[in-house]
Amino acid sequence: MNAPHPRDLSIHDFSYPLPPDRIAPEPLPDRAASRLLVSRNGQLTDQRFRDLPNELPAGALLIFNDTRVVRARLLARRPTGGQVELFCLEPVAPHRSLEMALQQTGSCTWRCLVGNGRRWKEGPVLLEFETADGQPATLWAERQVQEAGTALIDFRWEPAELPFAEVLRAGGHLPLPPYLGRPDTATDALRYQTVYAVAEGAVAAPTAGLHFTPELLAELAQQGFSTGHITLHVGAGTFQPVKAGRMADHPMHTEPIIVTAALLRQLLSHRPQPVLAVGTTSLRTLESLYWLGVGLLKPATVAAGEVAGQPELLVTQWQPYDMAAAADNISAEVALEALLKHLEANGTDTLQASTRLLIAPGYRFRLIDGLITNFHQPESTLLLLVAALLGPGWRTVYYHALTHEYRFLSYGDSSLLLPGTAEVSANSTERC
């Protein structure tokens, strides 16, 4: 009997009972003290995250997402005193490029989620704050267009010479996951960022990376493991629940990715040794690279209107499934070479693209051999990704984590998922 097409999957088949007390409300004092559940060819062992170098496949290349979370929640007030929350999602004008939008001065327009906005009928709301050097500053926000679930918000501020990135840094709050149900704190300002975060633009952390410390990264290097960095700016869609009866009716959000030619060459030279993604965002970026290359090689197979006319390359939600037959004879190496040729032809060493890739059971992985990731919410697209990697064995992993007191979600514990890798860099012993 044929497996169902990912379009026909029901998210309700990817659920499990998650008691509220298993959701980690705060980070551990020591990042690397979190627990690590290792699944190697279906065999489970309990470790600590600091033991990761002893559990990795020999010769592994680890790919990290170096995005940095911006303080995208703005708590403004109406003239009557009521609070309105503005959650900045994506820039609209005068720049759609995130990098340029964050450097915009004086005024700009963003698409935002609006909280407690029913009584905000017209006119601007106001936020007063202090700049990094202690000077008073004021931000005004006015709603222009209300769309399904979001609004276009015009911002202007004084001092006008401040870049919008500084407005967010000084006046905004970290957008913690809604399930934490608490305001951000000074601890979150440090711990809801990875230690290697550099590229501002995410509205949610790539949480698999929160467990790494400078000392652990140094140990990985000392033991001969290679590392590389990509950028995927995590969007608010990562919190978007799946409400549709079938995945065909669930639209995946678009997220920008940035990858250097040096990283593409690193991936090429590393093959066929194992590549491990640190987090689902790194995994989606790596797999998107393959499909971007296929799209360049087989442009006629990409649905009209999905890529044509876009300002940058795009991987669509169903592209891997619709193009599976056309891609059968295209290796990962050939796809990566196509991307390098595209960059050379355009006189740049940086690939800027977008992805809406949905990875679900039925997906064939092209570039990655394993995943480091936290434990995800029931009925989420992230859990679909884990199920695609592990098959039905995902339930065994999550049952083990639940019955062995693992902590779940963003500030929770971690897992190392190696569905087809037996050789490790050192002998490991089971411990907690």
Side-chain angles (χ1 to χ4, degrees):
M1 183 176 179
N2 293 331
H5 190 285
R7 283 189 177 91
D8 297 324
L9 292 174
S10 169
I11 197 64
H12 304 305
D13 293 331
F14 298 87
S15 189
Y16 66 92
L18 178 58
D21 63 359
R22 304 308 301 279
I23 299 173
E26 306 280 349
L28 295 177
D30 176 7
R31 291 177 186 260
S34 58
R35 300 179 70 195
L36 177 69
L37 176 54
V38 180
S39 173
R40 181 179 288 105
N41 289 325
Q43 300 298 310
L44 305 182
T45 56
D46 301 296
Q47 313 288 3
R48 291 289 175 183
F49 198 83
R50 62 171 56 92
D51 301 317
L52 178 68
N54 296 329
E55 300 298 329
L56 294 173
L61 166 63
L62 275 66
I63 303 297
F64 297 85
N65 182 3
D66 64 8
T67 188
R68 185 172 184 84
V69 183
V70 296
R71 302 172 70 91
R73 289 178 61 241
L74 297 166
L75 305 181
R77 295 203 170 273
R78 305 193 310 271
T80 56
Q83 182 173 277
V84 173
E85 178 180 336
L86 303 173
F87 189 165
C88 297
L89 298 179
E90 60 181 1
V92 175
H95 307 291
R96 289 188 176 270
S97 161
L98 186 60
E99 180 178 314
M100 296 180 67
L102 289 173
Q103 295 308 310
Q104 175 65 25
T105 59
S107 64
C108 61
T109 301
W110 280 61
R111 185 179 308 281
C112 299
L113 293 173
V114 179
N116 197 30
R118 286 185 295 177
R119 295 186 180 181
W120 181 21
K121 301 302 183 184
E122 58 183 14
V125 293
L126 174 73
L127 173 62
E128 296 178 316
F129 59 98
E130 289 187 354
T131 63
D133 58 2
Q135 298 301 309
T138 305
L139 172 73
W140 294 269
E142 192 155 4
R143 181 166 48 191
Q144 293 300 325
V145 179
Q146 184 74 40
E147 298 180 353
T150 65
L152 297 186
I153 304 294
D154 289 341
F155 293 108
R156 59 185 176 87
W157 57 91
E158 293 287 348
E161 63 269 18
L162 289 177
F164 193 58
E166 179 58 28
V167 172
L168 294 178
R169 277 194 289 268
H173 293 263
L174 280 175
L176 293 181
Y179 50 72
L180 290 182
R182 62 174 179 82
D184 60 317
T185 66
T187 297
D188 296 312
L190 177 66
R191 295 300 303 280
Y192 198 60
Q193 303 280 11
T194 63
V195 297
Y196 48 81
V198 293
E200 283 195 318
V203 298
T207 55
L210 298 180
H211 307 281
F212 286 87
T213 64
E215 295 77 13
L216 184 54
L217 292 171
E219 184 178 350
L220 288 169
Q222 290 168 4
Q223 293 201 22
F225 293 106
S226 301
T227 59
H229 293 83
I230 54 84
T231 303
L232 181 146
H233 290 310
V234 189
T238 194
F239 302 136
Q240 182 182 355
V242 179
K243 298 178 179 179
R246 295 188 316 144
M247 291 309 300
D249 300 318
H250 174 76
M252 283 292 286
H253 52 288
T254 301
E255 292 171 312
I257 59 178
I258 303 170
V259 177
T260 64
L263 188 279
L264 297 175
R265 287 190 286 268
Q266 184 181 19
L267 290 169
L268 274 169
S269 65
H270 191 79
R271 296 185 66 82
Q273 297 183 87
V275 174
L276 269 62
V278 178
T280 58
T281 58
S282 294
L283 188 152
R284 289 181 66 239
T285 302
L286 289 168
E287 292 297 310
S288 293
L289 291 178
Y290 174 81
W291 293 107
L292 288 169
V294 170
L296 292 172
L297 293 165
K298 301 278 189 177
T301 62
V302 179
E306 297 252 31
V307 173
Q310 294 292 327
E312 53 188 10
L313 298 174
L314 170 70
V315 178
T316 61
Q317 179 167 339
W318 302 110
Q319 184 177 341
Y321 312 99
D322 296 339
M323 295 182 65
D328 274 347
N329 296 321
I330 300 177
S331 68
E333 290 84 354
V334 170
L336 292 172
E337 289 283 5
L339 289 175
L340 283 169
K341 290 178 182 177
H342 172 78
L343 294 182
E344 182 179 356
N346 285 275
T348 180
D349 61 359
T350 302
L351 174 70
Q352 299 198 34
S354 296
T355 185
R356 293 176 51 212
L357 177 60
L358 172 67
I359 296 179
Y363 181 85
R364 175 186 166 194
F365 291 90
R366 308 286 181 151
L367 277 175
I368 68 98
D369 302 283
L371 172 66
I372 298 168
T373 189
N374 287 15
F375 297 98
H376 304 293
Q377 287 183 298
E379 300 188 1
S380 65
T381 56
L382 301 182
L383 189 57
L384 280 178
L385 184 153
V386 171
L389 184 66
L390 296 182
W394 77 265
R395 291 190 178 277
T396 302
V397 170
Y398 273 66
Y399 177 78
H400 182 97
L402 285 167
T403 56
H404 287 72
E405 303 297 321
Y406 278 75
R407 302 161 75 244
F408 278 60
L409 306 188
S410 294
Y411 277 143
D413 294 318
S414 186
S415 63
L416 170 62
L417 308 179
L418 302 170
T421 306
E423 184 183 3
V424 295
S425 61
N427 294 328
S428 68
T429 57
E430 184 168 351
R431 53 194 176 274
C432 286

